[in-house]
Amino acid sequence: MATNTPPGKFPMRLRALRVDQPIGSFFAVVMTARSLLELCYTKAVSADLDPVTGSYSVTGTQRLQDPKRLTAIAEYIEQVDASFPNSIIIAANFKRDETRVEGDVDTDLDGEPSEEEAESEQARRWFIDAKPILDDVGETVGETYELVIPTGEQLARVIDGQHRLFAFAEADPARLDDQLLCAVFMDLPPPMQATIFATINSNQKPVDKSLTYELFGYNVADEKESDWSPDKLAVFLARRLATDPDSRMAGRIAVAPTNDFASAKLMPKGNMKISFATIVSGIVRLISSNPKADATKLRKAFFTRRSSLDLGRANGPPLRKVYIDGDDALIYAATRNFVNVADELFWRDADPKSFIRKTVGVQALFDIYREIVRPMLEAGDMTEQAFRQQLAPAREIKFEHVRFQNASGSNRTAIRRIIRVNLGLIPKSELPAGDEQFIMPQAVLI
């Protein structure tokens, strides 16, 4: 049976329970206050370790919803019968002040990390290690889970429980090894973090919804669609893809860790699920090269709305002008048509172990979508049939091949490159030695 790694030792492995709810999956784990203070942060508040005393000091408390509560909670923590049965809710795999999921990198885009940096990010990501439970005849009947935290870098944002957690930094250092229950969401987009925070706190007592902007960078108060930042629009469109009966992804987009092959026997071909964060990121890159800057500008531009944003470079995000013009229906229709065809050609009938069904494969296909949609927009044809004609030459590639076993950013690049060659987007001379085997008979070669 798996055992929890001692605090401060990395990689840290924590036994986890998967909890499935309408939003998707999160994982319940037990961590010490010391580990949480080391690994977690909020946009406003942080705790810094004093290496001499072993205690923590908290900065930024004035931006908490009720900073005076820290002292009261710290006094309670020091009582002999202190108890915190409610969970600390955290979102894993986000750097401070970043909207991009750690490890979600397109090395071909200007302004994004290099391939070496992308590999480094992948190595730092928190992930779920799922192992099958076998019955007496070797059939998979369930799974066990461990949350793996590779390094001590702060990559977890506190969604709810800030006061409880940071009060431990004000209490007797002897209590830092007290255990706390945590609900860990993997790759949860920041607008959804803000919504969870506002919903929980509004149900308990009135909360100033503008506080969500201070803590998460997103305002969940009612806004006109013309005010929506790229991230907020992307979350809305991803939710619609997950519920629209005309979308092949209806019921198949969920907040979840990146798909794991330990689940292959429990996830037959037709039941493939896609990480919510992967869809959101793919949509954002269609409309913005700097979503954080766009969100900040929209926050200040009370009268000009999206029209205040720059179009950017000519070869920038292909649907940027459509977004600025407010034609969200067109962005959604094109994206729905794309994912419907991607499911038809690549996902629906693929081997459950095919890498095109993994996060790196979905990301690579969204990279292709971003490349082909510009000329399709200019031609005025982004129908399913148009996407089918564009993507069909690559449909027979065997992405379950051992060549694709490296589930990293470089694998995303390899998958994308092979598809691009088959679609005639780049010459076959750009393929590394050995990858010529993936050129299909129906490929459009240049």
Side-chain angles (χ1 to χ4, degrees), residues 13 26 41 79 100 109 114 139 181 250 279 282 297 306 311 342 386 395-396 435 442:
R13 302 183 73 94
F26 63 87
Y41 65 91
Q79 295 181 12
R100 177 177 60 80
L109 289 180
S114 67
E139 292 295 320
L181 176 63
I279 299 294
K297 191 164 188 178
R306 290 188 200 173
L311 279 174
R395 69 181 302 172
E396 301 297 332
D435 280 357
Q442 65 272 31

Side-chain angles (χ1 to χ4, degrees), residues 73-366:
I73 296 174
E75 292 174 353
Y76 173 71
I77 288 171
E78 294 176 357
Q79 295 181 12
V80 295
D81 58 352
S83 174
F84 295 95
N86 290 349
S87 61
I88 307 290
I89 305 175
I90 61 179
N93 295 324
F94 290 91
K95 286 195 183 83
R96 186 187 299 272
D97 295 326
E98 272 280 3
T99 60
R100 177 177 60 80
V101 176
E102 183 79 350
D104 179 12
V105 175
D106 183 350
T107 55
D108 285 348
L109 289 180
D110 292 339
E112 298 220 7
S114 67
E115 193 158 314
E116 286 186 1
E117 291 169 323
E119 293 288 346
S120 178
E121 284 195 14
Q122 283 289 337
R124 293 194 297 265
R125 279 179 53 82
W126 293 24
F127 65 94
I128 296 296
D129 184 8
K131 292 183 171 61
I133 300 173
L134 305 179
D135 64 13
D136 293 340
V137 295
E139 292 295 320
T140 301
V141 294
E143 290 180 317
T144 62
Y145 303 97
E146 282 187 311
L147 171 65
V148 182
I149 305 173
T151 74
E153 185 170 352
Q154 287 191 336
L155 288 177
R157 184 175 296 156
V158 181
I159 298 175
D160 190 63
Q162 295 96 332
H163 294 91
R164 274 169 286 156
L165 176 57
F166 290 108
F168 273 89
E170 307 257 321
D172 183 344
R175 306 313 294 263
L176 288 172
D177 292 319
D178 287 1
Q179 295 182 331
L180 295 170
L181 176 63
C182 304
V184 183
F185 285 91
M186 309 297 287
D187 304 339
L188 184 71
M192 296 186 72
Q193 298 172 27
T195 299
I196 290 174
F197 168 82
T199 301
I200 291 172
N201 288 278
S202 293
N203 287 341
Q204 293 175 0
K205 64 179 183 178
V207 60
D208 179 4
K209 288 190 175 181
S210 66
L211 182 64
T212 60
Y213 187 83
E214 293 298 319
L215 295 179
F216 302 97
Y218 293 90
N219 183 7
V220 299
D222 291 337
E223 292 179 314
K224 296 179 181 178
E225 290 185 22
S226 59
D227 299 344
W228 287 357
S229 66
D231 295 79
K232 193 167 185 178
L233 175 63
V235 166
F236 172 80
L237 296 182
R239 281 175 168 166
R240 191 170 173 189
L241 283 171
T243 57
D244 182 357
D246 292 327
S247 165
R248 288 178 180 263
M249 291 296 102
R252 296 165 62 188
I253 300 173
V255 173
T258 55
N259 25 340
D260 187 294
F261 286 160
S263 304
K265 289 189 177 180
L266 302 179
M267 189 70 71
K269 289 182 179 180
N271 292 336
M272 171 196 172
K273 288 189 179 290
I274 295 178
S275 161
F276 200 96
T278 301
I279 299 294
V280 169
S281 176
I283 295 173
V284 166
R285 285 191 170 99
L286 295 168
I287 58 180
S288 177
S289 57
N290 193 336
K292 180 181 175 183
D294 285 344
T296 300
K297 191 164 188 178
L298 285 168
R299 174 81 173 166
K300 298 176 180 177
F302 292 109
F303 301 105
T304 52
R305 308 309 182 194
R306 290 188 200 173
S307 60
S308 66
L309 301 177
D310 299 325
L311 279 174
R313 297 174 288 105
N315 62 342
L319 301 184
R320 176 72 169 177
K321 188 176 187 304
V322 181
Y323 163 71
I324 290 175
D325 291 343
D327 195 349
D328 301 342
L330 180 59
I331 298 172
Y332 175 73
T335 303
R336 184 191 61 201
N337 290 343
F338 163 73
V339 297
N340 283 354
V341 172
D343 183 62
E344 173 191 325
L345 298 182
F346 298 102
W347 300 327
R348 182 181 61 193
D349 298 322
D351 187 297
K353 292 186 176 182
S354 173
F355 285 81
I356 202 66
R357 290 166 57 106
K358 289 199 71 175
T359 296
V360 288
V362 177
Q363 289 171 332
L365 280 172
F366 264 90

